[in-house]
Every structure is written in structure tokens, then in C-alpha cells.
Amino acid sequence: MGFLWDSIKYVYAYLAVIPVIPFLLVYFGYGMFSDDRKKAFQLAMDVTTALLIGCVAVLFDSIFNSSFGLYAIILFMLLGGGLLGNMQFRKRGNVNVKRVFRAVWRLGFFTMSMAYLLLMFIAIGQKIFSA
């Protein structure tokens, strides 16, 4: 059982280091089976978001020597969901939780992508200038 868990961790770590590769794999892989490119792009975004969350959390923790990265990401996503749910409730009178979750998850893709790029450049700069 330990071997299986270690294998899953290593595969996740390798895919999360360069999130463009799993994005392209999912996009072109799903695109080959269906002709719906929009659905393939959305699925690739959804899969890559999970990888980006882990990678950004680890980068944040290593740059700032803390262990708050994952908790901060979850906190901001929950706050975003609460704000979007509140806006939806005020506009429509009810909350569609599935739409709010999907919106937060897709917004998370863009924010995590930008955070990944920023933190990766900072980490590379730290490694270059500390050597």
C-alpha cells in the first residue's frame, strides 16, 4: 500500500512541476475523443487547477519559509465562493452551489496560473542569487 501511495505522490509531483504538460495532455487527449474543443479546454482547466493549487502552495511555503500556503489558497477560494454566492443570492434570490463552485474553480485556474508564474520567477531568482 505504501508503494502505491508513493507512486501517486511522485506522479502528482512530476505533473505539478510543469502544469502546462498535463493541460496539453488533457486538452488534446479529450479533444481527440470528442470534437468539442470548448469542453476539452474546460476539462483541461479543471484538471490543471488541482495541480496548480499544490504547486503554488509548495512554492509559497518554500519562498516564505512558512506552512500557510495551502491554507491561504483554500481561504481565498472560500471567500471568493462566499462573495459570489452572496451576489447570486442578492440577484436571483437563491444560490446555485454548482455554478458558484465552478466559477471559483475556474477563477482559481487563472489566479493560480499567475501566482505560479510569479512565484516560479521569484524562486528561480532566489536560487540564482543565493548561489
Side-chain angles (χ1 to χ4, degrees), residues 106-123:
R106 301 253 168 94
L107 287 172
F109 172 76
F110 292 110
T111 56
M112 291 300 117
S113 297
M114 294 300 122
Y116 173 78
L117 291 174
L118 177 68
L119 293 174
M120 188 60 79
F121 285 131
I122 291 171

Side-chain angles (χ1 to χ4, degrees), residues 6 14 26 31 35 53 100 106 108 122-123:
D6 288 340
Y14 288 129
V26 172
D35 292 330
I53 288 172
V100 170
R106 301 253 168 94
I122 291 171

Side-chain angles (χ1 to χ4, degrees), residues 15-119:
L15 291 175
V17 170
I18 305 173
V20 174
I21 293 172
F23 180 86
L24 294 174
L25 286 174
V26 172
Y27 179 70
F28 289 119
Y30 187 79
M32 285 190 326
F33 291 115
S34 75
D35 292 330
D36 191 6
R37 295 291 181 190
K38 181 180 177 183
K39 183 75 173 166
F41 186 76
Q42 290 172 347
L43 183 64
M45 281 176 44
D46 292 342
V47 169
T48 307
T49 303
L51 298 171
L52 282 169
I53 288 172
C55 191
V56 168
V58 168
L59 281 170
F60 183 88
D61 291 346
S62 68
I63 289 172
F64 298 110
N65 294 325
S66 73
S67 59
F68 188 66
L70 182 63
Y71 300 117
I73 292 169
I74 292 171
L75 177 66
F76 282 117
M77 291 181 97
L78 286 172
L79 286 172
L83 291 171
L84 285 173
N86 184 24
M87 286 187 342
Q88 194 178 71
F89 183 76
R90 289 178 185 263
K91 185 175 181 180
R92 295 199 174 98
N94 61 355
V95 177
N96 186 347
V97 178
K98 184 178 178 182
R99 285 186 68 172
V100 170
F101 181 79
R102 191 177 333 131
V104 168
W105 194 252
R106 301 253 168 94
L107 287 172
F109 172 76
F110 292 110
T111 56
M112 291 300 117
S113 297
M114 294 300 122
Y116 173 78
L117 291 174
L118 177 68
L119 293 174

